[in-house]
Each structure stands twice: as structure tokens, then as C-alpha cells.
Amino acid sequence: MNNLSIPILLVATLFLANCSKNNNVFLNNRDSDFNKNWQFIEDSCIDASTIDFNDAEWQKIDLPHDWSVTDYSVQDSLHVGPFKKQAVVENDQGFLRGGTGWYRKYFTLNTADSNRVIYLNFDGIMSESKVWVNGKLAGHHVYGYTPFNINITPYLSSTEEENLIAIKVLRPQDCSRWFTGAGIYRNVSISKVNPVHVAPWGVSAIGSDITDDSARVDLDITINNSTNNKSEIEVYTALLDPNGEEIGQTVLPISIEPNSDITLNTYFEINNPALWDLETPQLYTANITLTKNGKTIDQFKQPFGIRSLHFSAEKGFLLNGKPILLKGGCVHHDNGLLGAKAFKQAEYRKVSIMKKNGFNAIRSSHNPPSKYLLQACDELGMLVINESFDMWHKAKRENDYHRYYKDWWKKDTRSMVMRDRNHPSIIMWSIGNEIPERALSSGQKIADEAYQFIKSIDNTRPITQAVNGFWDNPGLPWDSSAHAFEQVDIGGYNYQHQQMERDHKMYPDRIMYMSESAAEHIHETWALVKKHPYIIGDFYWTSIDYLGEAGIAKAIYSKNKDAELPFTMPWPWYVSNCGDIDIIGNKKPISYLRDVIWGNSKLEIAVHEPIPDNMHEIIYFWGWTNEYQSWNWKGHENEKLQVHVYSTYPMVQLELNGKVIGEKQPSTDSLTAKFYVPYHPGNLVAIGIDNNGNEIERKVLSTTGEPFQLVLIPERKTIDANRQEITYINIEITDKEGQVIPFDSSIVELNVEGEAELIAAGSGNPKFNGSLQDNKLRLFNGKGIAIIRSNGKEGEIKITGKNRNIKEHNAYINAVK
């Protein structure tokens, strides 16, 4: 590849102080949806790559797709819904299967596509895939989390003739420490471009000299000429501000040699830039048009944001010059009841729920996320640590990526950085998590190679890795971790907060953050972040529950107070249970304490469930005590229950049915005041009192009445009539006053009529309660959820819920074009 630097005098930069709205509609018609009309079979004994293979009986599907969460065709004592009980090592995967699947799709190009270059673009296939076009192997990919593009032009039939895409996907057994899913689970598109075109991922936008008054944006644009002739073209770049106003344009004539790429550079000086930040995530757009002899031959649209990042041990992390404490959550890629399917709405909902719960940063654990999740972070204002791998050369599971790292790491790292480098939400690249060889000489060499390679593509962000204690290398002292930290710009500490102050004395310039922390240390870790600027944040494991690593978080009762619990739990556990938020998006008890710790709330209340006689509560490392935001304890009248009031008020008061139980000062360390209250139905009230003795606010837990109504609450009343469109319907059992019945676990039967289909239904229960996709679900703590998918047609959608003898409830959604 040649690098062409355009001299400043040849750059035509136009500044419009009072721009009018740009009325020229920019058509980015390169990419088309390629998710519809696939056929699928789960079968490891066939070769379906050939054109003449008979697929008439295969299942017809639209992507994204994850066969691991579909029900087994035969249900018996071993196979229940999509789960296989007693599956070997599959508690890592939540007892959900892998195996081999085949996908096939027929399509035809029209005459307008003749002489075009055709790319297939995959955002992610889980996990090892081979792609055939018209019976010929066109490409393969081994890492389930990175995107890839295949130029299929050489394999295509003539226009107006049918083409066949066949894809074999293998998700091996024992390939991951958590649920992966199986299949083409992310977006697929097809690009039809002129032989002279902006290369895939070919635009880089970098902001510099950023102040409130001005900023410079440099654009590197890579253009591919796949013809056998030299090409003379003009490159028009229009810069649009967040309101869509055109604020500048450059025009560059260039010459490209046959069958080559060229990278050109242009720049814009922007007055009063709209900076991207957490509260106002402003996005600019570079619209790039290639013309030849006055005719448009290619168009490309690149969103980006303008913001400055600064990290130091003295000042911490500054975003646009302002200090930010990272209130982080580690996030796995699955979407709960959907499995791994990365619908755009599911990814946006995930980020929105995290933001609503006070998080301002995501660590993509332990792999690159979908493009939709990063778009959501850009648009909603969420920071991201984009992580590449969970292992290098040494295995964590027999069939994991360590088998391919040596040959594939550079390709996969390049895919991650090239696709994601324009996302303003990304503040760090991570080269690994808890790497076994991190402190060995071999690991240092690998880390250095990864560091230098990323910096060669993007030198605007720091590089990190997450370093754990040496449970995986018995005998090595913590001080040996210095070798791992030397290889990166910022050090991530997994569960080693106790080492940070000591390490700072030895390495005063080291910038640190908790890359993983557990519920057990919820107070200590955030106290360190607030105390020391060199500790820039805390990433909790995890913000949201995920499938797999079944039951790593639990609180179990035992007669033996010293009982030891296993790392994961056996069937019927299938969810990790370590999130602040459950798999359907509801707050869990620990999240209320975090609200107080982070300053999102000043007063919360929780009640521990009655502990059985002669039993002790054993809480595992990631677990949380069995407390609830509930005052429904029928059958335990007069029994003393433990009540926690979490508060930053100097004094709290507790009342039951108007009678004062007591007043206490919350601990300054734990922000907790503990009471023991005999249970009587009614209203339990926590009151926050200021230093002058004035009542400031109240939080109330009320005993609910009997179940009275089933309520279906659509999260959106209108959706697009598009097969990629999904939406969520929250389901609750309430009393006459509209209060959710806390421990209701009754069954709800659903029916969907009109222009949509039910694709998932269930609850936040970390233990199995049935199929994830049929029309019956068992509520958990009075709540459940249904997920529907548009059938692509306009019209009304009616969702009906039935429960016990309660009157059925209907919800309505409109699908519009």
C-alpha cells in the first residue's frame, strides 16, 4: 500500500460560518441487508457446500440466528427445552449446545451489478466457519467475535443467474469459559461497489488540538483500485456537524495505480466543535464521494466524534479536560433469552439499561463486541474498553482460541481495530484478560507484538490488559506481575485492589483501574477510586447477568458455617447470577446499594429473607446476601428480620406502620445501618435525616395485596415493519394498587397476533424454568418478559397474556414502514 500525503496547499478546506441545511441527500448505498431468506440445518454428517445439494427440507430462517437456544426436537428426561442436563463441561455454556450447523442462501445479481466488486460482510459467526460461493471455498474464519469481509466477486455467476452461499459453522465442545452461542449470530450485509472504491473500514477520523473553541480533524481515506488500469478520480469529502449541517468540504484529485490501494490525507479545522461526551454524545459525519469524469462511482459515510482523552497518575482520566471516574461494568456478549443473537435493539437496550443504572463504562469481556453495541455506546454516551482475547498461546479450555492464536491474532486484532477505531466511545484497547503467560518471557514478547501492532494502526488510545493474581501460576509472587504491566500503558487489576496502594509506591507513574471486582469488595474498590487519582475506575463483574458460568454467584444455606461452595453450580442453574441487573433487564438487590455508593441515590432499603433454623448463609465470592426490596413475608409474623438501610444521610430512621423502630447513623465505610424488625404486614419506611434533624426523603416497602391483575407493558408502542426489528414486553403480576407481587412464580401463557412473532419469553431466574422460546413462561419475583420480532409487514400487533384465574391482559404495538 502506498501512503499519499496531500500537501496543505492542495487541500481545499471550506468553512461556512452560517451554513444552511444541506439539501443534497447523501446516499450510502454500498451495503444492503443480507439477513433474510436463509436455510438452516443442524447436522455434522453432511457436506452441504455443493450447488446440487438438496436443502428443500431445511428450516427457513432470517438472521441473526443462534441454534444453541432453540429447543431440542425431542424432549425427554435429558433434553429439556434447549438444555441438555448433565452435559459434559457444559455448565460453562449454561448447558446449551454447540455442534455443527449449515446455512445456505440463494441470490441473484441484476444487470446494474455487472462489473462491480461484491463483498460479503460478517459482523460475527460463532465460531469456526467456512464460506463457499457456488460450490467453491471463498474464505474461512476461526474467531467468533471478530468481523470479516470476503470479496466473492471471482466466484459469482453472471448477472441474472442464481448464486449460492453455503456456510458451515462449528462450535466445538469445551471451547469457552462462558456461553458463546452457535451460528451466524450477528449482522450480515452485502456490498456492491465500483472497482474503484473506498476500501472496507477504509476511513480513519482523528481529532487533535481539541479545545472548546476549535479542533482539527484529520481523515485518512484508503481507496482501492481493483482494475488493471490506472484510474484518475476526484475525492469529495463533506463534513457534517451533529445537526446534519455541512460545515466544510475538500476536493482532491488523485491517481491510483492498477490493482493497488492508496491512502490519502485531508483535514478540517472546526470552530466551536460539538464535543462528544457522556451527557451530549455528539457525532459528526464525513461523507466521501468518489467521482470519475464527473460521474459518481462510490459513496461512503463515516460517523465519528470529537473528544480528547488524557490519562495520568497525577490527574486520573480526563475526558475533554474534565475528570471522569469510570463506573464500569464487565459485559459478556449474549442478550439473555435471545442467546447470542445481536439484534440492534437488544444491544441498544443493554447499553440504555446500564446507563439508567449509573454505569458510564463497559469492558467488553473478553472479546470485541458487535458493531451495534458500539454504535449504541457512541449514540447514548457510554465509554468502552475494547478487549481482544481471553487467551494467547496457553489454553484455558481444550478447544479455545489458543489453537489459532499464533496464525490468526494479527488478522483478528486488525479487524477489531480497523472496524472500531472511529468510535469515540472507545477509550482503551485491551490485549488480553488473565493471560496465563502474562509474566513469563514468552508472554512479554507476545504482549509487545500486540502492543506495537495496535499502535501501528491507532496510536490515539492507550493499551491495557487485565492482570490477575497468580492462582494460575502457583509459586509466582505478585511482584512478578510487573512484567505484564510494563507491556501496557494502563494496568488493569482483576480482584487485586489490595495491591494497588503498595504498587503505587513502587511504580508512582502507573495508571491503574479495577478491571474486575466482586460484590465482596463493593465498598473497598470504589473507596480507592475516590481516594486516588491514579486509580481511574472500577469495572464490576458483571453489570448484567449472562448465560453460562452457571451459578458462580450464589448465597446458599448450610448447617456447616465453614462449608465450601463449588465454582459453578450443577443443573438446573444456567445463568451466572453475578450481575447488578438480571438477564431480562431488572435491577437486582445489590444494585440498590451500588446506587448509594455511586451517589445515584441517597437512601435505599432491603430486607433479608428469613434464614432457616440452624442454618448459616454461605456467600460465594461473586454472590450477594439473600435480601430483597420487599415487605412480603407471610408465615413469618413476629419473626425478627434483618433490615439494611443504605444511605449517605448522617442519620436514618426506620418506621413500621407509623411506629418508630429506631434511629441510627449509617457506617461511613459500608453506608449501612442495620436493624432487626419483627415482621408485621404493612409499611416499612426508611427516612433520611440531615444534620439539622430534618426529614429529607422516605423510601417505603409495602406489603402487597393478593394478585389482582396481569400487566403487559410494551417498551415501545411503535416499531419499524422490518425483520431486523424486535421489541420487549415487560410482564408483571400486581395487586389492586399496581404493586408487583414480589415472589410470584406463576405461569403466564402468551399469544401474539398480527404482524409479529414471539421469539423469546422467560424471566430473570438463574435456574431453568422451561423453554426460552415457547409461549409459556414462569414468572420470577412477579416479573417476566416477552420479545417479539416484526414479520416485515405494516399493521397492528396484539399480545395477550393469561395467568391463573386473573383476567387476561392485552397490549398493542403498531408496525409501520
Side-chain angles (χ1 to χ4, degrees), residues 177 330 332 363 365-366 387 390 433-434 466-468 492-497 513-518 521 525 537-542 621-622:
R177 300 185 298 116
C330 298
H332 273 318
R363 175 175 170 239
S365 309
H366 305 291
E387 193 155 76
D390 189 47
N433 170 69
E434 297 186 350
V467 177
N468 56 305
Y493 285 63
N494 280 14
Y495 313 110
Q496 295 297 314
H497 66 279
Y513 66 101
M514 260 76 66
S515 39
E516 289 181 27
S517 66
H521 303 123
T525 52
D538 180 18
F539 286 77
Y540 178 65
W541 191 267
T542 56
F621 186 59
W622 290 275

Side-chain angles (χ1 to χ4, degrees), residues 356-368:
K356 180 181 177 182
N357 280 274
F359 292 91
N360 64 16
I362 285 173
R363 175 175 170 239
S364 64
S365 309
H366 305 291
N367 46 261

